[in-house]
Amino acid sequence: MALDYPTLPGDIDHLIADDHAIVERQFQHLEAGRGNRRVLVDQISFELALHAFAEETVLYPIWTEIGMTDEHDDAEHEHQEIKETLVVLGRTEPGEQEFEQALTKLMQVVRHHVDDEEKEELPEFRQKAGPERMAQLGKEFLAAKRMAPTRPHPNAPSEGVAEKIAGMLAKPLDQVRDMLEGKKKEMATDASGLLDPQAQAIVDAHSSLGPLPFEILEPDQARKQPGPKEAVQKVMADKGLEGPEPVGSVEDIVIPDAAGGQMRMRVYKPKDAGAEALPVIMWIHGGGWVLFDIDDHYDDSCRGLTNKTGAIVVSPDYRRAPEAVFPASHDDVLAAYRWTVQHIAELGGDPTRIGIGGESVGGNMAPATVLQLAQAGEPVPSAIVSVYPVTTGEQFGESMEDAADGRPLNRALLSWMAMHAFEGQPDAAKDPRIDLLGWSREQLALMPPTLVITDERDVLRSQGQQFAENLEAAGVATTHRYYAGVMHEFFGAAAVLDKAEQAQQEAAQHFVRALGAARPAVGATPSGSTAR
């Protein structure tokens, strides 16, 4: 589901369409008979409760102001039907006749509601209210979600101040009920049934920590939530595994950032490094340019690559949005790379053997940095590894639909990240440092040998695959590895996920082929992945 007119990630109609896409994909899991039906329905109920409250308190009052009275009345009636149906689903169980009948009705009502809203009501609303209001209303929409009760309340006031007060009173009671019934610990998992057991254990562990939805929080609130690092640590603790993976040494150094200030860079060295000048890999962490730093994004990727390649791995702690919006992160990574080249002997590295890579937005900034270096006439790294990279600011490809409900990265969270990263810059997504899919053949041909890794339950899957195809078409030595049954952020989970170990081996071997190594890469050729 996508609106057939242009929007920006933080616009209220864009956010509403993201919610629609997530719920629709969950409906499809239920129709296909896969996944955990109880959890799927509980998640849908939670999402629709927040969504309805936010629409009724932010959107619908404006509809009456601008003359959309009929649309307002129809939408209110459908919301009431949805809430009443969700109450039935909440007190019955899958397999019971009343539950299954209510579920069929819910799908019918929601789909009719979404069709009307996306094809008629939201386009009319944008036209009458004005596109300049959409971003501010988007912020109010997310703020309303933070205030919303977590369960449907059909008998509550329908909209306005009275509903806000009722919602604030109902929310703590709902949260207590959610906790007592165990529902709170199910809300952040992937209930689709499409993950392999090891990957499922990780998202279940994350959900059990009770995170609030990142995509409705303010950035400072979201950064305090448990993330992928904590999820892997919990699985390791449950299995009695110790960590993190030991390396020769880990040291934080301070280097200049691109704004005249300072940033940390973490340096990982292999065991028994000796006096030999080693290859150097710059590894750039993810987090949507907003969430993580080198402390709270798990560093198992860097540790694994250090051990598997025998190389020094450096990881810059670039500035993040919204405190420093685009292109601050890109500028810092470029500055960190140039500093590394200038000071590589001090690190114990070999200036003729440098690679670059990263995960998610790090997988974007790696090739973007290479492009800038090449266009400036500077030497470029000998190899790139882009793991589930962002390659466009657009909602691109079929994965935006079939992985819209994925965890830990769903479609709504992706929009939330872009909203903050590009705040005040409506054209930022068109910049070539973001829009890698817009590169010309000549720009693509500047890339060194590149490995692109994608995964099944990831909204970024399609754009990563397309970037790999574009590179190959431009004559770049390109390898694409696709991992089924795993999710965004899987790469660093090698301690508890076999496919992450395989992906790290694949990345390490790509670097070793291009850079050489101080010692043979650890491990065998990965299996269970698909080359494209």
mmCIF file of all heavy atoms in Angstrom, residues 470-502:
data_model
loop_
_atom_site.group_PDB
_atom_site.id
_atom_site.type_symbol
_atom_site.label_atom_id
_atom_site.label_comp_id
_atom_site.label_asym_id
_atom_site.label_seq_id
_atom_site.Cartn_x
_atom_site.Cartn_y
_atom_site.Cartn_z
ATOM 1 N N ASN A 470 22.487 -2.820 -10.146
ATOM 2 C CA ASN A 470 22.999 -1.645 -10.843
ATOM 3 C C ASN A 470 24.522 -1.674 -10.923
ATOM 4 O O ASN A 470 25.114 -1.324 -11.955
ATOM 5 C CB ASN A 470 22.545 -0.369 -10.135
ATOM 6 C CG ASN A 470 21.049 -0.130 -10.234
ATOM 7 O OD1 ASN A 470 20.336 -0.874 -10.918
ATOM 8 N ND2 ASN A 470 20.554 0.883 -9.550
ATOM 9 N N LEU A 471 25.160 -2.059 -9.814
ATOM 10 C CA LEU A 471 26.625 -2.149 -9.811
ATOM 11 C C LEU A 471 27.104 -3.168 -10.836
ATOM 12 O O LEU A 471 28.036 -2.909 -11.615
ATOM 13 C CB LEU A 471 27.113 -2.540 -8.414
ATOM 14 C CG LEU A 471 27.051 -1.482 -7.320
ATOM 15 C CD1 LEU A 471 27.292 -2.117 -5.957
ATOM 16 C CD2 LEU A 471 28.072 -0.369 -7.563
ATOM 17 N N GLU A 472 26.473 -4.325 -10.848
ATOM 18 C CA GLU A 472 26.882 -5.369 -11.785
ATOM 19 C C GLU A 472 26.702 -4.918 -13.227
ATOM 20 O O GLU A 472 27.559 -5.173 -14.090
ATOM 21 C CB GLU A 472 26.083 -6.636 -11.508
ATOM 22 C CG GLU A 472 26.554 -7.834 -12.300
ATOM 23 C CD GLU A 472 25.863 -9.122 -11.878
ATOM 24 O OE1 GLU A 472 24.850 -9.039 -11.152
ATOM 25 O OE2 GLU A 472 26.334 -10.200 -12.275
ATOM 26 N N ALA A 473 25.589 -4.234 -13.490
ATOM 27 C CA ALA A 473 25.322 -3.748 -14.845
ATOM 28 C C ALA A 473 26.345 -2.708 -15.291
ATOM 29 O O ALA A 473 26.601 -2.556 -16.497
ATOM 30 C CB ALA A 473 23.917 -3.168 -14.929
ATOM 31 N N ALA A 474 26.944 -2.011 -14.322
ATOM 32 C CA ALA A 474 27.953 -0.991 -14.634
ATOM 33 C C ALA A 474 29.352 -1.586 -14.738
ATOM 34 O O ALA A 474 30.325 -0.849 -14.932
ATOM 35 C CB ALA A 474 27.929 0.098 -13.571
ATOM 36 N N GLY A 475 29.468 -2.897 -14.607
ATOM 37 C CA GLY A 475 30.757 -3.549 -14.768
ATOM 38 C C GLY A 475 31.571 -3.677 -13.498
ATOM 39 O O GLY A 475 32.740 -4.084 -13.543
ATOM 40 N N VAL A 476 30.975 -3.364 -12.328
ATOM 41 C CA VAL A 476 31.675 -3.498 -11.056
ATOM 42 C C VAL A 476 31.660 -4.967 -10.633
ATOM 43 O O VAL A 476 30.640 -5.654 -10.785
ATOM 44 C CB VAL A 476 31.005 -2.620 -9.971
ATOM 45 C CG1 VAL A 476 31.678 -2.832 -8.613
ATOM 46 C CG2 VAL A 476 31.043 -1.163 -10.368
ATOM 47 N N ALA A 477 32.786 -5.442 -10.122
ATOM 48 C CA ALA A 477 32.834 -6.816 -9.584
ATOM 49 C C ALA A 477 31.942 -6.870 -8.348
ATOM 50 O O ALA A 477 32.294 -6.359 -7.284
ATOM 51 C CB ALA A 477 34.267 -7.188 -9.236
ATOM 52 N N THR A 478 30.772 -7.466 -8.494
ATOM 53 C CA THR A 478 29.720 -7.393 -7.474
ATOM 54 C C THR A 478 29.287 -8.789 -7.056
ATOM 55 O O THR A 478 29.070 -9.669 -7.893
ATOM 56 C CB THR A 478 28.491 -6.633 -8.014
ATOM 57 O OG1 THR A 478 28.900 -5.354 -8.501
ATOM 58 C CG2 THR A 478 27.450 -6.440 -6.917
ATOM 59 N N THR A 479 29.158 -8.972 -5.751
ATOM 60 C CA THR A 479 28.586 -10.195 -5.206
ATOM 61 C C THR A 479 27.390 -9.818 -4.358
ATOM 62 O O THR A 479 27.468 -8.900 -3.537
ATOM 63 C CB THR A 479 29.606 -10.941 -4.328
ATOM 64 O OG1 THR A 479 30.786 -11.195 -5.100
ATOM 65 C CG2 THR A 479 29.022 -12.265 -3.836
ATOM 66 N N HIS A 480 26.285 -10.509 -4.566
ATOM 67 C CA HIS A 480 25.096 -10.292 -3.739
ATOM 68 C C HIS A 480 24.786 -11.574 -2.989
ATOM 69 O O HIS A 480 24.694 -12.651 -3.585
ATOM 70 C CB HIS A 480 23.895 -9.896 -4.593
ATOM 71 C CG HIS A 480 22.612 -9.839 -3.814
ATOM 72 N ND1 HIS A 480 21.416 -10.306 -4.301
ATOM 73 C CD2 HIS A 480 22.341 -9.384 -2.556
ATOM 74 C CE1 HIS A 480 20.465 -10.146 -3.397
ATOM 75 N NE2 HIS A 480 21.008 -9.596 -2.330
ATOM 76 N N ARG A 481 24.642 -11.465 -1.673
ATOM 77 C CA ARG A 481 24.257 -12.610 -0.871
ATOM 78 C C ARG A 481 22.938 -12.298 -0.170
ATOM 79 O O ARG A 481 22.817 -11.258 0.497
ATOM 80 C CB ARG A 481 25.329 -12.931 0.176
ATOM 81 C CG ARG A 481 26.596 -13.486 -0.414
ATOM 82 C CD ARG A 481 26.400 -14.916 -0.926
ATOM 83 N NE ARG A 481 27.655 -15.475 -1.408
ATOM 84 C CZ ARG A 481 28.005 -15.545 -2.684
ATOM 85 N NH1 ARG A 481 27.181 -15.073 -3.609
ATOM 86 N NH2 ARG A 481 29.150 -16.090 -3.043
ATOM 87 N N TYR A 482 21.975 -13.184 -0.338
ATOM 88 C CA TYR A 482 20.644 -13.038 0.253
ATOM 89 C C TYR A 482 20.444 -14.130 1.284
ATOM 90 O O TYR A 482 20.669 -15.308 1.000
ATOM 91 C CB TYR A 482 19.581 -13.133 -0.842
ATOM 92 C CG TYR A 482 18.182 -13.360 -0.337
ATOM 93 C CD1 TYR A 482 17.479 -12.330 0.278
ATOM 94 C CD2 TYR A 482 17.566 -14.605 -0.468
ATOM 95 C CE1 TYR A 482 16.189 -12.540 0.731
ATOM 96 C CE2 TYR A 482 16.268 -14.810 -0.014
ATOM 97 C CZ TYR A 482 15.588 -13.783 0.589
ATOM 98 O OH TYR A 482 14.320 -13.979 1.038
ATOM 99 N N TYR A 483 20.013 -13.737 2.481
ATOM 100 C CA TYR A 483 19.793 -14.687 3.571
ATOM 101 C C TYR A 483 18.304 -14.744 3.907
ATOM 102 O O TYR A 483 17.719 -13.743 4.337
ATOM 103 C CB TYR A 483 20.615 -14.287 4.801
ATOM 104 C CG TYR A 483 22.089 -14.540 4.611
ATOM 105 C CD1 TYR A 483 22.903 -13.594 4.008
ATOM 106 C CD2 TYR A 483 22.656 -15.748 5.007
ATOM 107 C CE1 TYR A 483 24.249 -13.830 3.801
ATOM 108 C CE2 TYR A 483 24.015 -15.997 4.807
ATOM 109 C CZ TYR A 483 24.800 -15.036 4.214
ATOM 110 O OH TYR A 483 26.145 -15.286 4.019
ATOM 111 N N ALA A 484 17.721 -15.911 3.686
ATOM 112 C CA ALA A 484 16.307 -16.115 3.997
ATOM 113 C C ALA A 484 16.126 -16.355 5.495
ATOM 114 O O ALA A 484 17.035 -16.807 6.196
ATOM 115 C CB ALA A 484 15.764 -17.298 3.213
ATOM 116 N N GLY A 485 14.936 -16.021 5.995
ATOM 117 C CA GLY A 485 14.570 -16.369 7.354
ATOM 118 C C GLY A 485 15.214 -15.530 8.440
ATOM 119 O O GLY A 485 15.150 -15.904 9.611
ATOM 120 N N VAL A 486 15.834 -14.412 8.066
ATOM 121 C CA VAL A 486 16.428 -13.532 9.068
ATOM 122 C C VAL A 486 15.963 -12.102 8.838
ATOM 123 O O VAL A 486 15.310 -11.779 7.844
ATOM 124 C CB VAL A 486 17.970 -13.606 9.073
ATOM 125 C CG1 VAL A 486 18.434 -14.965 9.533
ATOM 126 C CG2 VAL A 486 18.546 -13.278 7.702
ATOM 127 N N MET A 487 16.328 -11.227 9.784
ATOM 128 C CA MET A 487 15.765 -9.891 9.842
ATOM 129 C C MET A 487 16.869 -8.835 9.776
ATOM 130 O O MET A 487 18.049 -9.132 9.928
ATOM 131 C CB MET A 487 14.968 -9.726 11.144
ATOM 132 C CG MET A 487 15.794 -9.789 12.410
ATOM 133 S SD MET A 487 16.536 -11.427 12.716
ATOM 134 C CE MET A 487 17.362 -11.159 14.278
ATOM 135 N N HIS A 488 16.477 -7.609 9.564
ATOM 136 C CA HIS A 488 17.388 -6.466 9.668
ATOM 137 C C HIS A 488 18.098 -6.525 11.020
ATOM 138 O O HIS A 488 17.507 -6.909 12.021
ATOM 139 C CB HIS A 488 16.580 -5.175 9.550
ATOM 140 C CG HIS A 488 17.414 -3.952 9.333
ATOM 141 N ND1 HIS A 488 17.908 -3.616 8.098
ATOM 142 C CD2 HIS A 488 17.844 -2.987 10.194
ATOM 143 C CE1 HIS A 488 18.601 -2.497 8.197
ATOM 144 N NE2 HIS A 488 18.583 -2.103 9.464
ATOM 145 N N GLU A 489 19.358 -6.153 11.027
ATOM 146 C CA GLU A 489 20.218 -6.195 12.220
ATOM 147 C C GLU A 489 20.683 -7.602 12.575
ATOM 148 O O GLU A 489 21.158 -7.838 13.682
ATOM 149 C CB GLU A 489 19.534 -5.553 13.451
ATOM 150 C CG GLU A 489 19.277 -4.060 13.317
ATOM 151 C CD GLU A 489 20.528 -3.213 13.510
ATOM 152 O OE1 GLU A 489 21.648 -3.764 13.544
ATOM 153 O OE2 GLU A 489 20.384 -1.987 13.625
ATOM 154 N N PHE A 490 20.598 -8.535 11.630
ATOM 155 C CA PHE A 490 21.020 -9.901 11.965
ATOM 156 C C PHE A 490 22.533 -10.059 11.937
ATOM 157 O O PHE A 490 23.089 -10.945 12.605
ATOM 158 C CB PHE A 490 20.364 -10.907 11.000
ATOM 159 C CG PHE A 490 21.105 -11.133 9.704
ATOM 160 C CD1 PHE A 490 22.013 -12.177 9.588
ATOM 161 C CD2 PHE A 490 20.892 -10.313 8.601
ATOM 162 C CE1 PHE A 490 22.700 -12.401 8.395
ATOM 163 C CE2 PHE A 490 21.572 -10.525 7.414
ATOM 164 C CZ PHE A 490 22.472 -11.576 7.304
ATOM 165 N N PHE A 491 23.247 -9.217 11.202
ATOM 166 C CA PHE A 491 24.659 -9.445 10.881
ATOM 167 C C PHE A 491 25.547 -9.549 12.120
ATOM 168 O O PHE A 491 26.478 -10.351 12.158
ATOM 169 C CB PHE A 491 25.158 -8.310 9.975
ATOM 170 C CG PHE A 491 26.562 -8.479 9.462
ATOM 171 C CD1 PHE A 491 26.840 -9.322 8.401
ATOM 172 C CD2 PHE A 491 27.606 -7.770 10.035
ATOM 173 C CE1 PHE A 491 28.138 -9.460 7.915
ATOM 174 C CE2 PHE A 491 28.908 -7.899 9.557
ATOM 175 C CZ PHE A 491 29.175 -8.752 8.497
ATOM 176 N N GLY A 492 25.272 -8.759 13.143
ATOM 177 C CA GLY A 492 26.123 -8.750 14.326
ATOM 178 C C GLY A 492 25.808 -9.827 15.345
ATOM 179 O O GLY A 492 26.447 -9.877 16.396
ATOM 180 N N ALA A 493 24.844 -10.695 15.046
ATOM 181 C CA ALA A 493 24.368 -11.673 16.031
ATOM 182 C C ALA A 493 25.026 -13.033 15.866
ATOM 183 O O ALA A 493 24.423 -14.067 16.162
ATOM 184 C CB ALA A 493 22.847 -11.806 15.928
ATOM 185 N N ALA A 494 26.278 -13.058 15.426
ATOM 186 C CA ALA A 494 26.936 -14.329 15.106
ATOM 187 C C ALA A 494 27.050 -15.263 16.301
ATOM 188 O O ALA A 494 27.101 -16.491 16.126
ATOM 189 C CB ALA A 494 28.320 -14.063 14.526
ATOM 190 N N ALA A 495 27.056 -14.732 17.500
ATOM 191 C CA ALA A 495 27.182 -15.583 18.692
ATOM 192 C C ALA A 495 25.997 -16.524 18.863
ATOM 193 O O ALA A 495 26.130 -17.592 19.472
ATOM 194 C CB ALA A 495 27.346 -14.714 19.939
ATOM 195 N N VAL A 496 24.828 -16.136 18.314
ATOM 196 C CA VAL A 496 23.616 -16.936 18.531
ATOM 197 C C VAL A 496 22.844 -17.211 17.248
ATOM 198 O O VAL A 496 21.752 -17.767 17.289
ATOM 199 C CB VAL A 496 22.685 -16.234 19.552
ATOM 200 C CG1 VAL A 496 23.327 -16.203 20.923
ATOM 201 C CG2 VAL A 496 22.313 -14.818 19.103
ATOM 202 N N LEU A 497 23.405 -16.837 16.100
ATOM 203 C CA LEU A 497 22.687 -16.971 14.833
ATOM 204 C C LEU A 497 23.660 -17.464 13.761
ATOM 205 O O LEU A 497 24.581 -16.744 13.356
ATOM 206 C CB LEU A 497 22.078 -15.619 14.427
ATOM 207 C CG LEU A 497 21.249 -15.554 13.146
ATOM 208 C CD1 LEU A 497 20.060 -16.499 13.195
ATOM 209 C CD2 LEU A 497 20.766 -14.117 12.898
ATOM 210 N N ASP A 498 23.463 -18.675 13.297
ATOM 211 C CA ASP A 498 24.383 -19.282 12.335
ATOM 212 C C ASP A 498 24.494 -18.475 11.049
ATOM 213 O O ASP A 498 25.585 -18.339 10.477
ATOM 214 C CB ASP A 498 23.931 -20.704 12.004
ATOM 215 C CG ASP A 498 24.079 -21.662 13.179
ATOM 216 O OD1 ASP A 498 24.821 -21.324 14.128
ATOM 217 O OD2 ASP A 498 23.438 -22.736 13.154
ATOM 218 N N LYS A 499 23.371 -17.933 10.579
ATOM 219 C CA LYS A 499 23.414 -17.182 9.326
ATOM 220 C C LYS A 499 24.185 -15.873 9.476
ATOM 221 O O LYS A 499 24.762 -15.373 8.499
ATOM 222 C CB LYS A 499 21.995 -16.942 8.808
ATOM 223 C CG LYS A 499 21.351 -18.224 8.283
ATOM 224 C CD LYS A 499 19.938 -18.016 7.790
ATOM 225 C CE LYS A 499 19.361 -19.339 7.283
ATOM 226 N NZ LYS A 499 17.952 -19.212 6.842
ATOM 227 N N ALA A 500 24.223 -15.310 10.679
ATOM 228 C CA ALA A 500 25.063 -14.135 10.912
ATOM 229 C C ALA A 500 26.537 -14.518 10.832
ATOM 230 O O ALA A 500 27.357 -13.781 10.266
ATOM 231 C CB ALA A 500 24.740 -13.519 12.272
ATOM 232 N N GLU A 501 26.878 -15.654 11.397
ATOM 233 C CA GLU A 501 28.255 -16.147 11.295
ATOM 234 C C GLU A 501 28.638 -16.369 9.832
ATOM 235 O O GLU A 501 29.734 -15.987 9.388
ATOM 236 C CB GLU A 501 28.410 -17.440 12.087
ATOM 237 C CG GLU A 501 29.754 -18.132 11.939
ATOM 238 C CD GLU A 501 30.916 -17.348 12.503
ATOM 239 O OE1 GLU A 501 30.700 -16.418 13.309
ATOM 240 O OE2 GLU A 501 32.074 -17.655 12.134
ATOM 241 N N GLN A 502 27.721 -16.948 9.055
ATOM 242 C CA GLN A 502 27.980 -17.159 7.630
ATOM 243 C C GLN A 502 28.168 -15.840 6.899
ATOM 244 O O GLN A 502 29.069 -15.700 6.054
ATOM 245 C CB GLN A 502 26.825 -17.947 7.018
ATOM 246 C CG GLN A 502 26.691 -19.370 7.537
ATOM 247 C CD GLN A 502 25.365 -20.004 7.180
ATOM 248 O OE1 GLN A 502 24.597 -19.450 6.392
ATOM 249 N NE2 GLN A 502 25.087 -21.155 7.754
#
